[in-house]
Amino acid sequence: MAAVATSAYGSCIPANFLHSPPKIANQISSPPPLYISTNPSHVNPSHLQHLYAICNHSCHRFPNLDSYGRVELIDVGKLRTALSNSSVVLSVFTKPELANDLSSTAEVGTRSMGIGGNWIQRVMPVTPDNGKLVGFGRAVSDLGLTASIYDVMVIPSLQGRGIGRRIVQRIIRMLTGKGVYDISALCSDKEGLFFKACGFGEDILGSTTMMYTGTSSCPDAHQIAIYAGRKLILSPPSRQQ
């Protein structure tokens, strides 16, 4: 660290430089420069497929897993169809060099001071054209009464910085702006903690989402109900009629 400082400032190191770790820690926890888009055309289905793979996220409630516990790739054609039929599509982009694993404190400090590298590229604003897709979320709605949020995800190296919450908040604003207030999220117990932090809670009707399994509905059959996850409902303080 001192060697980096000497190369940047010469033989005289600023007095507060050696006390910079707390500031660097704040930079690690805060999000990098982002571009948040609500334009579905900004999402490249192939890039979205790659994001699903990085996040190990599947659109299927019962995904096929390989021997390493990784979900199968989502078909690009079906992703394209899902995008075109979603009521809200939200994508998040950042600079490709900032989407990598930033676990190295020294590396973050070097980048924040602009030491080396292409500084012109670093000061350029993020756009869907020059940025990398690092976050995504969508909602399906009848645009009159109800809506459901799906596929909220952020690449692992940028998780824990509030990006996922910003995705959900923006989707909610867009839906409530259209007068839709009955908003739900299909999620696992683990994902439920995240959605509860975003203002969702248990359905007052106590409903649990049931998924079609293809088993017989004959009264004589002993059908097994498969519970795919909890359905959390957004409960705003007030509701417009």
Side-chain angles (χ1 to χ4, degrees):
M1 180 67 73
V4 175
T6 301
S7 64
Y9 296 97
S11 59
C12 179
I13 302 177
N16 62 348
F17 182 85
L18 297 180
H19 299 285
S20 60
K23 295 182 180 179
I24 293 176
N26 291 335
Q27 292 169 357
I28 294 176
S29 60
S30 61
L34 302 173
Y35 185 99
I36 300 178
S37 171
T38 56
N39 187 343
S41 66
H42 287 162
V43 182
N44 183 314
S46 296
H47 296 171
L48 182 58
Q49 181 195 50
H50 183 62
L51 181 64
Y52 273 87
I54 293 176
C55 298
N56 198 30
H57 182 85
S58 176
C59 297
H60 305 299
R61 294 298 99 188
F62 311 108
N64 294 324
L65 304 178
D66 62 18
S67 57
Y68 298 98
R70 306 291 301 180
V71 300
E72 61 183 341
L73 283 178
I74 305 297
D75 181 79
V76 173
K78 289 190 175 183
L79 277 180
R80 187 177 290 106
T81 301
L83 288 172
S84 63
N85 288 282
S86 295
S87 307
V88 176
V89 173
L90 195 141
S91 51
V92 181
F93 302 84
T94 193
K95 297 180 181 181
E97 65 270 20
L98 298 179
N100 298 323
D101 187 2
L102 300 181
S103 59
S104 173
T105 302
E107 182 182 2
V108 175
T110 299
R111 289 180 176 178
S112 65
M113 292 182 294
I115 301 174
N118 189 343
W119 66 270
I120 296 179
Q121 182 178 0
R122 292 179 182 177
V123 298
M124 290 284 290
V126 182
T127 69
D129 293 328
N130 65 20
K132 178 179 179 180
L133 181 66
V134 296
F136 179 80
R138 67 187 183 99
V140 178
S141 174
D142 56 22
L143 298 181
L145 297 174
T146 64
S148 296
I149 297 177
Y150 297 92
D151 303 328
V152 176
M153 52 188 164
V154 178
I155 62 172
S157 62
L158 293 181
Q159 291 177 6
R161 303 186 179 204
I163 299 175
R165 182 175 296 192
R166 291 176 65 177
I167 292 174
V168 173
Q169 290 173 341
R170 180 69 69 88
I171 292 176
I172 290 172
R173 286 202 302 269
M174 294 183 67
L175 291 172
T176 56
K178 298 178 182 295
V180 179
Y181 290 89
D182 288 325
I183 306 171
S184 63
L186 180 63
C187 56
S188 65
D189 289 337
K190 181 179 179 180
E191 294 168 334
L193 297 176
F194 163 74
F195 279 100
K196 286 181 179 179
C198 293
F200 287 73
E202 298 292 341
D203 186 356
I204 59 175
L205 298 178
S207 63
T208 296
T209 302
M210 298 179 65
M211 305 297 294
Y212 174 70
T213 64
T215 55
S216 173
S217 59
C218 176
D220 295 332
H222 298 286
Q223 184 161 342
I224 300 176
I226 298 180
Y227 299 96
R230 297 298 301 174
K231 185 177 182 182
L232 299 182
I233 306 296
L234 178 68
S235 301
S238 60
R239 179 175 300 185
Q240 299 178 359
Q241 299 296 331

